[in-house]
Amino acid sequence: GLGKVLDAVDRCGLSDNTLVFFFSDNGGISWVASNGSCRGYKADLWEGGHRVPAIARWGGRIPEGVVCDQTAMGMDLLPTMMELAGVPLPPERKFDGVSLGGLLCRNEQLAPRQLFWGYELRGTAMRDGNWKFITKPDGTELYDLSSDIGEQNNLADDHPERVAEMASLVD
C-alpha cells in the first residue's frame, strides 16, 4: 500500500514538495501479528506493544537509503511538521515532543531525553537511553534494551539504584 502512495506522488510530480511519513501507532495485535523478537503486543508496555518502524520520504530534502535507530514517538509529529513547514511553535506552549527535522533531513542525532507512557490499569513505562523501566500492579521490571530487545532478562534486582531513580521520575 505504501508503494502505491509513493508511486502516485511520483506520477503527479509532487515528490519534491511532499513529505510522506508512514508509521503505526502500536505493535501488532496478539497472535495475528509478528513483532519479531520483541515481547508483547498492542497495549502492552513491552517493546512489542509499541516499537514499530517508520518510513519518511521527501524528495531532495530527506536523503535516500538512510536507516537510523533513534527513538521517536507520535508526540514528535506536531513539532516536526511545524518546523518543516516553517511555522514557529508558540513560545508560550510547552510541547512534549521534539522536532525530528534534523534527524530526517540531516541525519542529526536526537538529544537524550526520558520518555514516559502507560495504561491506567496496566502500569507505566519509562525509557532513559537504553534502559527501560516498567512498573505494574504486580511489580517492577528493568531492561537494558541494548542487549535485551526481547525484554527477557529483568534486571530490577541487580540495579536497585536505577530502579529507585526511574521510579521516582515516573512518580
Side-chain angles (χ1 to χ4, degrees):
L2 179 57
K4 289 180 180 180
V5 170
L6 296 176
D7 289 345
V9 169
D10 292 343
R11 272 194 317 276
C12 293
L14 299 172
S15 43
D16 286 347
N17 64 0
T18 302
L19 169 62
V20 177
F21 196 91
F22 176 82
F23 71 105
S24 174
D25 67 335
N26 52 256
I29 301 172
S30 68
W31 66 92
V32 299
S34 170
N35 293 321
S37 59
C38 292
R39 179 181 180 187
Y41 298 96
K42 178 180 178 176
D44 281 332
L45 296 169
W46 296 302
E47 293 296 287
H50 60 270
R51 181 181 284 256
V52 296
I55 299 169
R57 188 183 85 166
W58 191 5
R61 303 285 292 273
I62 296 178
E64 292 182 26
V66 174
V67 176
C68 78
D69 63 357
Q70 295 288 290
T71 301
M73 296 179 84
M75 66 186 179
D76 297 328
L77 291 179
L78 177 63
T80 301
M81 298 306 156
M82 298 284 283
E83 177 192 344
L84 296 178
V87 177
L89 291 171
E92 68 278 3
R93 216 54 220 263
K94 169 75 173 111
F95 289 87
D96 290 329
V98 299
S99 175
L100 306 175
L103 173 66
L104 294 172
C105 297
R106 297 176 298 284
N107 203 26
E108 296 171 358
Q109 297 292 301
L110 295 175
R113 61 182 171 156
Q114 296 165 331
L115 301 170
F116 302 84
W117 67 99
Y119 301 99
E120 187 175 344
L121 300 176
R122 293 181 183 218
T124 305
M126 176 193 176
R127 280 284 304 271
D128 186 9
N130 288 320
W131 289 101
K132 181 172 176 189
F133 174 72
I134 298 174
T135 180
K136 299 192 296 187
D138 61 350
T140 59
E141 301 173 19
L142 179 71
Y143 301 100
D144 178 355
L145 297 179
S146 68
S147 60
D148 184 16
I149 194 65
E151 296 168 293
Q152 299 300 310
N153 186 23
N154 183 355
L155 302 173
D157 291 341
D158 299 337
H159 298 277
E161 304 84 17
R162 177 158 288 282
V163 167
E165 175 189 349
M166 293 178 87
S168 71
L169 291 167
V170 167
D171 287 344

